[in-house]
Amino acid sequence: MADIGGKRVAILATNGFEQSELEVPRDKLREAGAEVHVISLESGEIKGWDLKDWGRTVPVDRVLSDVSADDYDALVLPGGQINPDILRAEPAAIDFIKAFWADKKVIGAICHAPWLLVEAGIIEGRKVTSYHSIKTDVVNAGGKWEDSEVVTDQGLVTSRKPDDLPAFCAKVVEEIGEGRHERRAA
């Protein structure tokens, strides 16, 4: 895996994130040298969902109201059904995601997290993947959905499910190493 020392990565999540989809990228990005912050709506801890039941808690490093996209080089959005559904109803979360996109920074979204990309209005015309159950939502928002382990489109990295995390993490690290991405209109 590439070295991304000196880079700062935000992981935006709330209660109900899929356990591995937050913990694996957090740990892999740290192993690659990045400073990684878990950002949430409130301070304290957030509780994961581990496949079929509630999982472990993860400490929140920063509260969303106290940070901006300017503080980070990339954003990772874990899935799970609950987490992105809560976040997509939060205007501050959507504005945070939009700011990364406007600044041409890397955004990684796993499983159900492309719901957040749909809500942010950045999926139209982009090649993406997601968990199969939200394929119709992605397509209806104008995304070019692919049934692939990982799909990358100009700094936007998406994957389908927890089994795809090794490839997803490697691709996010690679994209962060490349830096900002020029984006053509979709």
Side-chain angles (χ1 to χ4, degrees), residues 72-91:
Y72 298 95
D73 299 292
L75 174 63
V76 172
L77 303 168
Q81 294 175 358
I82 301 167
N83 167 62
D85 198 39
I86 292 170
L87 290 175
R88 69 183 175 159
E90 292 290 335

Side-chain angles (χ1 to χ4, degrees), residues 9-179:
V9 180
I11 297 179
L12 178 62
T14 193
N15 291 308
F17 64 88
E18 183 64 44
Q19 200 80 48
S20 63
E21 294 174 13
L22 186 149
E23 292 176 341
V24 172
R26 178 198 62 198
D27 297 347
K28 292 294 183 187
L29 289 163
R30 286 178 177 163
E31 286 172 19
E35 180 181 346
V36 181
H37 294 155
V38 174
I39 297 168
S40 195
L41 304 172
E42 297 177 3
S43 62
E45 296 179 325
I46 52 177
K47 190 165 190 138
W49 185 263
D50 199 2
L51 301 176
K52 296 184 188 227
D53 202 354
W54 289 103
R56 298 174 297 284
T57 59
V58 169
V60 172
D61 298 307
R62 303 282 188 278
V63 176
L64 180 59
S65 60
D66 295 338
V67 297
S68 90
D70 294 338
D71 300 330
Y72 298 95
D73 299 292
L75 174 63
V76 172
L77 303 168
Q81 294 175 358
I82 301 167
N83 167 62
D85 198 39
I86 292 170
L87 290 175
R88 69 183 175 159
E90 292 290 335
I94 299 307
D95 289 345
F96 190 62
I97 295 165
K98 286 179 179 178
F100 277 88
W101 190 249
D103 289 345
K104 300 178 171 77
K105 295 178 180 178
V106 173
I107 299 175
I110 310 161
C111 195
H112 285 76
W115 266 340
L116 294 165
L117 305 176
V118 168
E119 195 65 35
I122 60 176
I123 210 163
E124 186 174 359
R126 300 284 166 214
K127 293 186 297 181
V128 293
T129 195
S130 67
Y131 194 68
H132 64 86
S133 69
I134 68 165
K135 173 185 175 182
T136 300
D137 298 334
V138 169
V139 170
N140 286 343
K144 298 176 182 177
W145 194 88
E146 297 179 15
D147 186 15
S148 299
E149 184 177 57
V150 176
V151 175
T152 304
D153 188 335
Q154 298 178 334
L156 185 62
V157 181
T158 53
S159 71
R160 300 173 301 193
K161 59 188 187 257
D163 293 348
D164 301 332
L165 284 169
F168 172 80
C169 293
K171 193 62 176 173
V172 168
V173 168
E174 178 186 323
E175 292 291 306
I176 293 169
E178 289 176 6

